[in-house]
Amino acid sequence: MNIALWGIAGLLAVLFLASGVAKLVQSKEKLVASGMGALEGFGPGTVKVIGMLEILAAVGLVLPALLEVAPVLVPLAAVGVALLMAGASVTHLRRGETQGVVVTLTILVLAAVLAWARFGPQSFEG
């Protein structure tokens, strides 16, 4: 189970790092043109904040456990990812983007499983 949880954390970290960096280095218009249409309703500053949150989430999902410094931050980061994906799901739902809803809900479920397991039966304590 521990290996599967590390796999989930790693996958989520890679996804969020790539997405966050893209939001920080590319213009909102370029992101929308590349398929991130849900960002149309947000200002450029908000897009940058979302990108920064995604990068922080990526770091929080793996680094504390790897360094064995405050590993409780891993499930907290997973809760943050789940909340971020809940908001993204609502945005996609309002826009009628079924595929976006499915993707964000899948990521939400993975993050929720990670949070539940790392807070509970597969915590880094003991």
Side-chain angles (χ1 to χ4, degrees):
M1 178 73 155
N2 191 44
I3 293 171
L5 293 172
W6 272 103
I8 291 170
L11 173 67
L12 292 175
V14 168
L15 289 172
F16 277 85
L17 184 61
S19 179
V21 168
K23 286 179 179 79
L24 284 181
V25 300
Q26 295 180 17
S27 69
K28 175 187 151 184
E29 293 74 23
K30 190 171 182 181
L31 291 167
V32 169
S34 72
M36 294 188 189
L39 296 176
E40 280 181 323
F42 298 102
T46 303
V47 172
K48 300 299 182 203
V49 168
I50 293 169
M52 204 54 212
L53 288 172
E54 290 178 345
I55 291 170
L56 290 172
V59 170
L61 287 168
V62 293
L63 204 55
L66 281 177
L67 298 177
E68 297 181 3
V69 175
V72 72
L73 293 176
V74 173
L76 289 174
V79 168
V81 166
L83 292 173
L84 194 61
M85 290 298 96
S89 296
V90 169
T91 300
H92 287 295
L93 190 61
R94 287 181 179 169
R95 292 178 49 85
E97 299 170 345
T98 307
Q99 182 180 2
V101 173
V102 171
V103 170
T104 54
L105 287 178
T106 301
I107 294 170
L108 186 152
V109 168
L110 288 173
V113 167
L114 181 63
W116 167 78
R118 289 303 189 202
F119 272 131
Q122 292 291 315
S123 72
F124 293 110
E125 303 293 318

